[in-house]
Amino acid sequence: MAGGKVQILVREIHGVVIGRNGKRTVLRLWTSLLDEQTYPGLELLELYAQRWEQELSYKELKINLGTAGLLTSYTPTTGRQEIAALLIAQAMIADLRLEVGHTGAVPVLRVSFVKVLSHVRSLWNVLAWSGDCLRPAQRTRLIHGMFDSLLSQLTPPRRARSCPRAIRQPVSSWPRKLKNGGCSHGAFQYELIPA
């Protein structure tokens, strides 16, 4: 380390993503995964395109779980505990989504995070209020009823993110989106650009 700077050895990957409409977008990725045999560049390009699923996960945590601006801890320790509790809650909802999707043989992305969260909150209250009044078989029937309800409220199949981005009302020099066009369907393709 010279002069406060850290040097890190990275591998540069040049690639092209070919959209569903044939549009080519050149990408340049840097990674610390140096072994080209173990970590092929084409595979890393495909994984890069999946990063938006992580962004949706952050949205679930911040918006759907209602945590935006809600962290109320006064110390770093309790702040970490609060964040850990939120991540555990998010993971539990994700597990339930997977189980509902598996039960109904539907893709998990069609099981709404928001609806699962709402159903779980309601079921949690019923189970808490009922105390020991319900037998285990009755509790199981309630859970299966929740699954049936969620399966009856599936979201439509998700369309791929292939539409051009623009805002609906003009702000400064941003392009105005007058009509929804330019969307296309099908799989993306990936190509590596030789170094």
Side-chain angles (χ1 to χ4, degrees), residues 94-146:
D95 279 348
L96 273 174
R97 285 179 74 197
L98 282 169
E99 195 170 341
V100 170
H102 179 71
T103 299
V106 296
V108 68
L109 294 177
R110 296 206 44 212
V111 181
S112 166
F113 181 92
V114 174
K115 289 180 183 174
V116 171
L117 179 61
S118 173
H119 279 61
V120 165
R121 284 177 172 159
S122 297
L123 182 62
W124 185 272
N125 286 331
V126 168
L127 293 176
W129 294 328
S130 67
D132 294 333
C133 296
L134 296 175
R135 295 185 307 272
Q138 292 172 315
R139 289 174 182 258
T140 300
R141 277 200 305 270
L142 279 173
I143 293 168
H144 288 297
M146 179 184 77

Side-chain angles (χ1 to χ4, degrees), residues 14-61:
H14 287 259
V16 176
V17 177
I18 304 167
R20 295 175 179 91
N21 57 0
K23 182 179 176 186
R24 299 170 65 87
T25 304
V26 177
L27 292 178
R28 183 179 300 193
L29 304 176
W30 291 277
T31 179
S32 60
L33 303 173
L34 303 177
D35 186 356
E36 294 180 28
Q37 300 302 318
T38 306
Y39 307 103
L42 196 58
E43 185 177 320
L44 293 178
L45 280 175
E46 291 174 10
L47 290 172
Y48 176 78
Q50 294 177 12
R51 73 177 175 80
W52 285 108
E53 292 304 321
Q54 294 173 353
E55 297 297 330
L56 292 175
S57 178
Y58 298 144
K59 177 187 174 248
E60 289 170 354
L61 186 63

Side-chain angles (χ1 to χ4, degrees), residues 24-25 27 53-54 58 64 79 82-83 92 105 120 153 166 171 173 175 177 187:
R24 299 170 65 87
T25 304
L27 292 178
E53 292 304 321
Q54 294 173 353
Y58 298 144
N64 301 135
E82 205 171 341
I83 291 169
M92 291 172 67
V120 165
Q153 300 176 46
V171 176
S173 61
K177 187 171 188 172

Side-chain angles (χ1 to χ4, degrees), residues 129-179:
W129 294 328
S130 67
D132 294 333
C133 296
L134 296 175
R135 295 185 307 272
Q138 292 172 315
R139 289 174 182 258
T140 300
R141 277 200 305 270
L142 279 173
I143 293 168
H144 288 297
M146 179 184 77
F147 277 36
D148 291 341
S149 177
L150 288 166
L151 287 169
S152 72
Q153 300 176 46
L154 295 175
T155 60
R158 229 183 188 182
R159 66 180 170 82
R161 294 173 178 257
S162 61
C163 297
R165 301 275 188 218
I167 59 173
R168 296 195 180 272
Q169 296 182 356
V171 176
S172 69
S173 61
W174 287 74
R176 183 172 182 182
K177 187 171 188 172
L178 299 174
K179 62 181 179 175

